[in-house]
Amino acid sequence: MTVLQRCEEAVLDIGCGPGRMLVALSQLGHSTLGIDVSPAAIARALGSGGRALHRCVFGDVPNEGRWGTALLMDGNVGIGGNPGTLLERVAEIVVPGGLLLAEAAPTDVDERFQVRIESGYGEGGASFPWAQVGISALAREARSAGWQDIEQWSSHGRSFIALRSTPRAT
């Protein structure tokens, strides 16, 4: 079973990039939205037919608390440099008992660092915090943030985890 086949209800792709997951999920009948801090990524996602907004996951997110599934693919568990904080934020975005599908580093790693994106022409942006975590570290961070590890799998050298949020107290 693929990441796409595991998605439930409406799907929010956090750090959607060019929107390949958005388009594929839409074709499977899911209501989708992507968010990304890169205007270029949003332009590509929109150009490919995906619904996407220029947003940061730590800011206002449309339909917060009503997403059935959130995606953190392609190493996006590193957003913000603190996976625990990111996982707590995602728990606020999904429905109580919602699903998070995340891709982790293929090795057993748990690192925090500053990164900077360069254009390839000697131009670079400001540095920002990022993290790289393998499945073990991500599962540990998830438990601390109130998520239940429901499945781990690998495919084509890539490592994934499915997490279920614990229902919030009312």
Side-chain angles (χ1 to χ4, degrees), residues 105-121:
T107 59
D108 191 18
V109 62
D110 188 358
E111 302 176 323
R112 310 309 188 260
F113 42 86
Q114 291 288 120
V115 296
R116 187 174 77 131
I117 297 176
E118 295 188 11
S119 69
Y121 299 104

Side-chain angles (χ1 to χ4, degrees), residues 9 13 37 48 51 53 66-67 82 84 86-88 92 98 100-101 104 106 110 113 131-132 145 157 161:
E9 304 172 24
D13 187 355
V37 297
S48 68
R51 280 185 50 228
L53 296 173
R66 295 192 295 260
W67 295 97
N82 185 330
L86 177 60
L87 292 168
E88 288 170 2
E92 297 170 351
L100 169 60
L101 299 172
D110 188 358
F113 42 86
Q132 182 178 21
I161 189 168

